[in-house]
């Protein structure tokens, strides 16, 4: 079967790597892809926002399955348009993608189905938002409604910060002027991934990422500075609880609304003393969590993705290598602020040849035969190991082989898991 993968990040490089290894995959096309992906798949010159062009490409290349990596095309309805054209697609409809696209939509489902989450209020005008804030006090969490690339959330520890966040939202900085204000939850965070065909749920492995830019989880939030799988804090009992109390009712809710969710559902959880609570849904794989999941997946990814599209997920299981996988994100200096682009990166082949190591490209470009940085998050240096410590040591040994003076990374990815490993 010929497959088209949509996206250009490290997540898509990892997906391309897993899809390309499948015996079911004949030709793999990726639109738009990146230079790393270009080494293992064909880059397709088709504009992803032009749905008619994507459909025409699928027909011309006899594409049997489209896999959508990022959220934006899903929220824009790419899956709906492909499906209407009779093309099989892994990824939810525009309606179902509101689970990520609209915090208010998700919160209302949680309320209706009794899904554990932070208490909240939903506001479209500033005076009511301020009144709620005054009634509840700090710490409190303020979220812009709509996609804000992880930058629409303020965890406010003091009232001035909280008010400033509301000023930002109601000045229209994030597009709309709508927000959710919610209770501050305390506990460790974990990412929980589930494949679904709209009726059945197949849990994948767990992962944890590091959102803050600096060592020790300090500094501003980012798209993710590194990740590892499994997440030691997610015991089997907690996975079962999250599946039964959070994910399954959500899948039922979408199905009840007449819009069954097909794809991967990514639940961001906080493990509170009262059990796991939902902080957000994403309608896609996490980036960089996907990179570590793909390193550990023993079964064929394409078989699993097709079972989601075909409604046969109840007949599937997913097996994982016992190894730990860990990825370090290398960023261009300045990230998550303005970054310097076009700087050359050397030594990638030597680093990628190290035992247990895969290097997934994110924001890279090719220029005169050189690999250069073209974004904020640039490389995902990923390694497998028997233990957290071994995976971490391998990943950083590979990082140190890469010659890129204008790049940086955190030096402590996996610290929580290693601390747990050490105290065993
Ligand atoms: P989100 O984009 O909703 O995942 O939020 C970004 C980050 O803000 C999360 O990864 C958490 O660290 C933090 N956060 C979000 N909601 C809450 C909450 N209710 N309580 C505490 N921290 C939160
Ligand atoms: N790593 C966080 C995310 O993909 O949203």
């Amino acid at each position: 079967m010929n497959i088209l993968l949509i996206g250009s990040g490290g997540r898509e490089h990892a997906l391309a790597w897993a899809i390309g290894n499948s015996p079911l995959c004949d030709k793999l096309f990726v639109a738009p892809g990146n230079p790393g992906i270009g080494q293992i798949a064909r880059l397709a010159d088709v504009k992803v926002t032009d749905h008619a062009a994507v459909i025409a490409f699928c027909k011309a290349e006899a594409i049997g399955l489209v896999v959508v990596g990022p959220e934006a095309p899903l929220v824009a309805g790419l899956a709906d348009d492909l499906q209407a054209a009779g093309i099989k697609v892994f990824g939810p409809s525009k309606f179902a993608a509101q689970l990520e696209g609209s915090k208010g939509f998700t919160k209302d489902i949680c309320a209706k189905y009794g899904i554990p989450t932070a208490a909240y209020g939903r506001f479209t005008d500033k005076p009511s938002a301020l009144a709620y804030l005054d009634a509840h006090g700090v710490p409190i969490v303020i979220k812009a409604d709509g996609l804000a690339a992880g930058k629409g959330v303020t965890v406010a520890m003091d009232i001035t910060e909280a008010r400033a966040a509301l000023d930002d939202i109601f000045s229209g900085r994030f597009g709309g002027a709508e927000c959710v204000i919610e209770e501050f939850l305390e506990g460790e965070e974990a990412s929980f991934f589930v494949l679904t065909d709209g009726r059945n749920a197949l849990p994948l492995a767990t992962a944890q990422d590091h959102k803050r830019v600096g060592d020790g989880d300090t500094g501003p939030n980012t798209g993710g500075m590194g990740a590892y799988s499994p997440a030691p804090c997610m015991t089997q009992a907690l996975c079962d609880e999250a599946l039964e109390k959070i994910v399954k009712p959500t899948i039922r809710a979408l199905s009840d609304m007449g819009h069954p969710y097909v794809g991967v559902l990514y639940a961001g959880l906080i493990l509170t003393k009262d059990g796991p609570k939902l902080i957000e849904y994403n309608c896609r794989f996490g980036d960089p969590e996907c990179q570590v999941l793909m390193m550990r997946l023993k079964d064929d990814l394409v078989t699993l993705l097709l079972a989601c599209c075909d409604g046969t997920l109840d007949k599937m299981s997913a097996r994982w290598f016992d190894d730990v996988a860990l990825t370090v994100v290398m960023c261009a200096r300045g990230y998550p602020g303005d970054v310097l682009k076009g700087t050359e990166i050397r030594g990638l082949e030597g680093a990628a040849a190290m035992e247990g190591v895969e290097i997934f490209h994110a924001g890279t470009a090719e220029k005169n035969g050189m690999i250069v940085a073209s974004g904020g998050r640039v490389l995902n240096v990923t390694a497998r190991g028997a233990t957290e410590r071994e995976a971490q040591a391998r990943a950083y040994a590979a990082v140190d082989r890469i010659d890129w003076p204008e790049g940086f990374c955190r030096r402590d990815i996996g610290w929580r898991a290693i601390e747990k490993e050490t105290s065993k």
Side-chain angles (χ1 to χ4, degrees):
M1 157 184 301
N2 294 344
I3 298 175
L4 171 65
L5 169 65
I6 307 285
S8 65
R11 167 183 49 213
E12 286 75 28
H13 192 171
L15 289 173
W17 179 72
I19 292 171
N21 284 336
S22 169
L24 297 178
C25 180
D26 295 320
K27 284 189 212 161
L28 172 62
F29 296 91
V30 185
N34 64 39
I37 295 173
Q39 291 170 3
I40 58 169
R42 297 158 206 240
L43 301 186
D45 186 18
V46 51
K47 209 166 148 207
V48 173
T49 49
D50 182 348
H51 297 185
V54 177
I55 290 166
F57 179 87
C58 290
K59 295 208 162 140
E61 297 293 347
I63 298 294
L65 172 67
V66 177
V67 179
V68 185
E71 63 279 16
L74 295 166
V75 171
L78 180 60
D80 308 61
D81 291 341
L82 286 167
Q83 205 150 27
I87 299 161
K88 208 173 264 189
V89 53
F90 176 83
S93 65
K94 181 176 181 157
F95 186 92
Q98 287 182 84
L99 279 179
E100 172 162 3
S102 165
K103 306 241 183 234
F105 176 84
T106 301
K107 282 300 205 178
D108 290 349
I109 288 179
C110 290
K112 185 162 170 201
Y113 286 79
I115 296 169
T117 186
Y120 74 104
R122 195 177 171 180
F123 304 96
T124 50
D125 71 282
K126 198 163 152 189
S128 332
L130 281 170
Y132 186 92
L133 182 61
D134 286 338
H136 288 79
V138 287
I140 203 155
V141 182
I142 295 173
K143 304 184 173 185
D145 206 56
L147 292 182
K151 301 195 174 81
V153 176
T154 304
V155 179
M157 291 298 166
D158 66 70
I159 200 81
T160 320
E161 206 184 346
R163 291 217 170 94
L166 287 179
D167 285 345
D168 252 11
I169 290 169
F170 289 103
S171 71
R173 186 171 153 210
F174 301 103
E178 186 168 343
C179 77
V180 167
I181 304 184
E182 68 179 35
E183 169 197 4
F184 172 77
L185 297 175
E186 241 181 309
E188 201 167 326
E189 278 181 58
S191 309
F192 185 54
F193 297 90
V194 175
L195 290 180
T196 172
D197 58 10
R199 281 181 306 128
N200 305 293
L202 177 66
L204 300 177
T206 57
Q208 273 180 301
D209 78 343
H210 293 267
K211 289 208 162 61
R212 306 294 187 121
V213 74
D215 282 14
D217 297 318
T218 54
N221 261 339
T222 68
M225 296 298 289
Y228 48 94
S229 171
C233 61
M234 280 298 281
T235 59
Q236 189 58 48
L238 285 173
C239 287
D240 294 345
E241 193 177 342
L243 184 66
E244 295 303 325
K245 291 193 180 158
I246 297 176
V247 174
K248 282 189 177 170
T250 306
I251 293 172
R252 203 176 317 124
L254 269 298
S255 169
D256 289 350
M257 291 171 172
H259 296 274
Y261 186 106
V262 173
V264 59
L265 191 55
Y266 159 0
L269 306 175
I270 292 193
L271 308 178
T272 72
K273 61 177 180 14
D274 305 319
K277 291 196 179 179
L278 179 74
I279 42 172
E280 63 161 352
Y281 272 128
N282 295 303
C283 60
R284 51 170 175 86
F285 281 105
D287 187 347
E289 291 97 319
C290 182
Q291 290 80 314
V292 287
L293 292 187
M294 291 306 117
M295 290 286 273
R296 293 189 58 229
L297 179 63
K298 212 187 250 182
D299 286 304
D300 177 42
L301 179 64
V302 175
T303 303
L304 294 173
L305 302 184
L306 284 171
C308 292
C309 303
D310 296 339
T312 55
L313 206 55
D314 52 329
K315 300 182 181 64
M316 294 290 152
S317 62
R319 289 167 304 162
W320 304 89
F321 291 111
D322 289 333
D323 279 1
V324 168
L326 181 143
T327 189
V328 176
V329 177
M330 293 186 77
C331 302
R333 215 182 277 153
Y335 180 77
D338 292 337
V339 299
L340 188 64
K341 292 189 183 169
T343 55
E344 188 184 354
I345 303 165
R346 295 192 200 85
L348 288 171
E349 296 75 20
M354 294 171 77
E355 193 187 345
V357 171
E358 292 291 332
I359 294 181
F360 299 119
H361 288 223
T364 65
E366 211 168 320
K367 201 170 131 195
N368 308 326
M370 304 181 305
I371 297 292
V372 299
S374 68
R377 293 194 295 168
V378 176
L379 296 167
N380 307 141
V381 182
T382 314
R384 267 197 341 216
T387 60
E388 286 288 349
R389 201 175 279 284
E390 184 177 61
Q392 190 199 49
R394 284 180 169 171
Y396 282 114
V399 163
D400 290 336
R401 286 255 189 123
I402 295 173
D403 177 12
W404 180 32
E406 296 84 3
F408 78 96
C409 64
R410 276 183 59 166
R411 281 278 156 187
D412 64 345
I413 299 303
W415 68 265
R416 245 181 236 279
I418 286 174
E419 222 163 61
K420 286 204 169 90
E421 201 170 76
T422 313
S423 66
K424 256 184 206 165

